[in-house]
């Protein structure tokens, strides 16, 4: 008897007035109407309920708070915070627009995060396939696409670049050594000229040697101008023109590796079972294979064109530079100052006037 009384008491409705005091118990009809409204219309966002379990059994007590006046508190799962819901007759809340803007910002951030995740996912999958293909080729278990004629031209270019780099290194060493010799000749000529003034008995001898060293120094500076022009042209050919072509070749080789990786993936799928899931994967692999095939063929054409233009440019540049180097060296060691100067004019090489590299007296302060 006591249990039934406690169970019935646990399922009673307890209304709360605006002052928080308990009033008289409502009738059973109002309770049934509230339950029917909840069952038909679902939970009302402007109301909340407190559910408590009865001590006497599985029955639950529902305490509606619709009679509470003033704004209610509602949990908002969008912004993980608590917003106030206006009571009937009080107008819309100012927090509605704020929660909407926060939700929009969160949606934008979520979209950016998803996009970045997709990029990382595609990059990881592509890296895995290419690494697998590379290892298979290294151990001789995978096939690779080979263009024998193009591969031979690429190997010739790399060998030519190594040889031209050696020429450039030796030419720079010659420039440094010859510059030191010219500076020594300049200092020696100044010393001879000073001794000619201070040694009357050897004035003529010191004077002849001073003039000779100054002439050699002047011709040496002219030759240095020609060698510097030669070094600059070779450096441009090796480290810019050839390097640009090699960068395109590197892109072509990467595209070839990707193409073979996706080709091997497609072949592996075609050898497996033909269920619905596998057919969908085959379609996707076929699309990726076609994309990487087009990329590979486009870069192969770019490499072929660049190799052709590089070979023509190399012949033209080296013909001019080798002729300049030969004429300048021959004229200098033959002591023909006029021919040496004429060689520089022929190749439009302008020498800097003496002291042009020295800073002005303002810059020295």
């Amino acid at each position: 008897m006591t249990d039934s009384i406690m169970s019935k008491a646990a399922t009673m409705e307890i209304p709360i007035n605006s002052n928080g005091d308990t009033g008289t118990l409502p009738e059973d009809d109002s309770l049934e109407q509230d339950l029917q409204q909840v069952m038909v219309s679902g939970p009302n966002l402007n109301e909340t309920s407190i559910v408590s379990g009865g001590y006497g059994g599985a029955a639950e007590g529902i305490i509606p708070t619709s009679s509470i006046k003033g704004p209610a508190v509602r949990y908002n799962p969008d912004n993980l915070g608590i917003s106030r819901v206006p009571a009937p007759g009080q107008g819309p809340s100012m927090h509605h627009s704020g929660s909407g803007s926060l939700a929009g910002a969160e949606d934008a951030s979520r979209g950016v995060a998803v996009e970045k995740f997709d990029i990382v996912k595609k990059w990881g999958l592509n890296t895995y396939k290419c690494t697998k293909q590379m290892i298979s080729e290294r151990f001789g278990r995978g096939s690779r696409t080979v263009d024998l004629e193009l591969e031979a031209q690429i190997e010739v270019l790399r060998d030519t670049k190594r040889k031209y780099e050696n020429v450039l290194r030796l030419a720079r060493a010659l420039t440094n050594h010859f510059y030191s010799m010219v500076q020594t000749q300049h200092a020696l000529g100044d010393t001879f000229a000073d001794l000619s003034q201070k040694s009357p008995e050897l004035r003529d001898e010191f004077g002849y040697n001073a003039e000779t060293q100054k002439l050699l120094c002047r011709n040496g500076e002219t030759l240095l101008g020609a060698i510097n022009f030669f070094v600059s042209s070779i450096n441009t050919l090796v480290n810019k023109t050839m390097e640009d072509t090699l960068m395109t070749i590197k892109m072509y080789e990467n595209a070839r590796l990707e193409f073979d990786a996706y080709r091997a993936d497609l072949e592996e799928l075609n050898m497996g079972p033909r269920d619905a899931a596998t057919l969908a994967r085959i379609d996707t692999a076929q699309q990726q294979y076609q994309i990487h095939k087009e990329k590979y063929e486009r870069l192969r054409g770019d490499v072929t064109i660049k190799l052709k233009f590089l070979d023509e440019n190399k012949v033209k540049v080296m013909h001019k530079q080798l002729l300049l180097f030969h004429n300048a060296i021959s004229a200098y060691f033959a002591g023909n100052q006029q021919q040496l100067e004429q060689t520089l004019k022929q190749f439009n090489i302008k020498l800097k006037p003496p002291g042009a590299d020295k800073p002005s007296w303002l810059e020295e302060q």
Side-chain angles (χ1 to χ4, degrees), residues 251-263:
M251 295 171 59
Y252 157 75
E253 292 175 343
N254 291 335
R256 196 278 310 164
L257 183 63
E258 291 179 350
F259 166 68
D260 284 337
Y262 283 91
R263 176 183 55 81

Side-chain angles (χ1 to χ4, degrees), residues 58-72:
E60 295 181 349
I62 302 177
I63 306 175
T65 59
S66 58
S67 59
I68 300 176
K69 305 300 181 180

Side-chain angles (χ1 to χ4, degrees), residues 96-320:
H96 180 71
S97 60
S99 62
S101 61
L102 287 175
E106 288 180 357
D107 291 340
S109 301
R110 190 179 298 110
V112 172
V114 171
E115 183 180 358
K116 289 183 178 180
F117 177 77
D118 291 340
I119 293 174
V120 173
K121 182 180 178 181
K122 291 179 181 179
W123 174 83
L125 182 62
N126 185 73
T127 304
Y128 166 75
K129 290 181 181 294
C130 293
T131 304
K132 180 181 177 182
Q133 176 67 22
M134 185 184 300
I135 294 175
S136 300
E137 292 178 3
R138 291 287 179 86
F139 288 94
R141 290 178 294 183
S143 60
R144 64 187 298 264
T145 304
V146 179
D147 189 333
L148 295 178
E149 182 179 359
L150 188 59
E151 293 290 337
Q153 294 178 1
I154 292 173
E155 188 60 32
V156 169
L157 171 60
R158 287 173 173 157
D159 184 65
T160 302
K161 186 174 184 291
R162 287 191 294 267
K163 293 178 179 178
Y164 276 45
E165 286 174 343
N166 189 38
V167 171
L168 181 61
R169 180 181 59 83
L170 294 175
R172 284 173 172 169
L174 175 63
T175 303
N176 293 332
H177 295 321
F178 197 77
Y179 176 78
S180 298
M181 187 185 73
V182 170
Q183 294 299 315
T184 303
Q185 288 175 340
H186 188 276
L188 188 59
D190 291 341
T191 303
F192 284 158
D194 183 63
L195 289 173
S196 176
Q197 298 294 330
K198 296 180 180 180
S199 302
E201 66 278 6
L202 296 173
R203 177 179 301 172
D204 294 338
E205 288 79 0
F206 279 123
Y208 295 152
N209 282 277
E211 291 297 329
T212 301
Q213 294 300 321
K214 289 181 179 180
L215 179 61
L216 290 174
C217 181
R218 185 164 58 251
N219 292 342
E221 291 176 350
T222 305
L223 179 60
L224 275 175
I227 297 177
N228 284 330
F229 186 77
F230 175 82
V231 169
S232 177
S233 300
I234 300 298
N235 179 66
T236 302
L237 178 63
V238 172
N239 293 322
K240 291 186 178 180
T241 308
M242 289 185 178
E243 190 64 29
D244 178 72
T245 304
L246 288 175
M247 287 295 296
T248 306
I249 290 174
K250 186 176 180 180
M251 295 171 59
Y252 157 75
E253 292 175 343
N254 291 335
R256 196 278 310 164
L257 183 63
E258 291 179 350
F259 166 68
D260 284 337
Y262 283 91
R263 176 183 55 81
D265 188 31
L266 180 61
E267 293 175 354
E268 183 178 355
L269 289 174
N270 286 328
M271 294 174 62
R274 294 302 183 95
D275 53 3
T278 305
L279 290 176
R281 294 178 58 189
I282 290 176
D283 291 339
T284 303
Q286 181 68 36
Q287 294 175 3
Q288 293 296 323
Y289 166 79
Q290 191 64 31
I291 291 173
H292 288 86
K293 180 182 179 181
E294 293 174 358
K295 179 181 178 182
Y296 163 73
E297 292 178 349
R298 184 181 70 253
L299 286 173
R300 182 175 62 180
D302 293 344
V303 170
T304 302
I305 294 174
K306 284 199 171 186
L307 285 173
K308 179 181 179 181
F309 284 124
L310 175 62
D311 187 65
E312 296 176 355
N313 188 32
K314 179 191 67 177
V315 173
K316 186 184 302 183
V317 170
M318 292 307 300
H319 174 76
K320 177 181 178 180

Side-chain angles (χ1 to χ4, degrees), residues 1-10 54-57:
M1 187 68 179
T2 305
D3 294 337
S4 61
I5 294 174
M6 292 181 65
S7 177
K8 186 178 296 184
Y55 292 101

